[in-house]
Amino acid sequence: DVYKRQVKGDVGKAERDKLELQSQLGRAQVDIKDNRKRFSAYADEADELEKKLAGIVGGDRSDVRVFERSIILDIKETALFKKGTAELTKDGKDSLEELGELLLDMRERDVRVEGHTDDQPVKDKAKGFYTNWELGAARAMAVVRYFHDNAGIEPERLSSVSHGEFRPISRTDKTKNRRIDIVLQPKSLQKIED
């Protein structure tokens, strides 16, 4: 008799667990559909940006990829800077001017500019860069300043970061590692408390 009650209790618990798991599975399937739709929308947006970026910077000097909810515009060093400097070239300024106009209209996205370098030590310390981190930081800031000062992008949407040589995308082609990544991410919400 005790054994039967225990078995009935175990069966009842198993049935409740089964219902809960089915409910969780249903919610997960809805989430997967929503995520596919969302990713598809990001992919479509990225495809459109890739076409525009290729027209602005040149298809061989830029790339676009999607990572989670962010769209990353990858621009090679040669499209913006002379090797080893953080000074924007005339072509670089022209490209950033057009790109800035495009980004200005994307108000639902924040703009994080990431500076990347190769792993070759900085040779000319007289330029003020003692490490690749400093060179990457100066380049990222040059782009941020240009977007703010010339394109009018709101400063609260802009940020910069330097990864130096520590996030390479190629082991064999160092030129791919010398780049600026412009990461377009969903606008962050900050609550200001007094």
Side-chain angles (χ1 to χ4, degrees):
D1 204 33
V2 173
Y3 178 72
K4 284 182 182 180
R5 275 186 272 147
Q6 184 177 357
V7 169
K8 278 185 178 180
D10 290 346
V11 169
K13 181 179 179 332
E15 287 176 356
R16 287 189 302 278
D17 289 347
K18 177 183 170 188
L19 289 173
E20 176 58 29
L21 288 172
Q22 286 174 333
S23 174
Q24 289 175 2
L25 177 61
R27 288 192 303 269
Q29 288 172 333
V30 168
D31 287 346
I32 288 169
K33 285 180 184 176
D34 288 346
N35 287 337
R36 279 189 183 142
K37 286 178 189 173
R38 200 172 307 123
F39 184 77
S40 177
Y42 293 144
D44 291 345
E45 188 178 6
D47 287 345
E48 188 64 31
L49 279 170
E50 187 167 29
K51 289 174 191 166
K52 290 177 181 177
L53 186 62
I56 294 171
V57 179
D60 61 330
R61 299 190 311 171
S62 64
D63 190 25
V64 177
R65 56 191 191 279
V66 176
F67 180 73
E68 294 179 354
R69 297 178 350 168
S70 297
I71 298 171
I72 303 167
L73 312 178
D74 176 340
I75 304 174
K76 291 184 180 179
E77 165 200 53
T78 57
L80 300 174
F81 305 99
K82 290 181 183 172
K83 187 176 179 191
T85 76
E87 186 177 330
L88 291 166
T89 63
K90 166 114 176 56
D91 287 344
K93 289 177 184 178
D94 292 344
S95 294
L96 290 178
E97 185 74 32
E98 284 186 63
L99 186 56
E101 289 174 17
L102 183 68
L103 299 179
L104 185 62
D105 292 333
M106 298 177 72
R107 297 194 189 288
E108 74 286 355
R109 291 196 174 270
D110 284 338
V111 180
R112 184 177 71 227
V113 180
E114 298 180 351
H116 299 268
T117 66
D118 61 21
D119 60 356
Q120 298 301 306
V122 174
K123 292 178 182 156
D124 189 356
K125 309 256 193 265
K127 292 180 182 173
F129 310 120
Y130 295 93
T131 68
N132 282 316
W133 263 330
E134 292 165 313
L135 177 58
R139 286 179 169 177
M141 277 308 305
V143 173
V144 164
R145 271 194 315 273
Y146 198 89
F147 281 156
H148 176 262
D149 296 347
N150 298 85
I153 297 176
E154 303 88 343
E156 60 273 8
R157 289 181 53 208
L158 294 167
S159 64
S160 69
V161 81
S162 175
H163 294 294
E165 72 240 41
F166 300 106
R167 292 203 182 165
I169 56 175
S170 176
R171 293 190 195 306
T172 56
D173 186 354
K174 292 180 187 282
T175 63
K176 289 182 178 180
N177 298 329
R178 296 190 298 261
R179 68 192 191 281
I180 287 289
D181 282 345
I182 299 172
V183 182
L184 307 175
Q185 52 197 15
K187 198 166 192 143
S188 60
L189 299 173
Q190 278 189 313
K191 183 178 178 182
I192 299 174
E193 296 191 22
D194 291 330

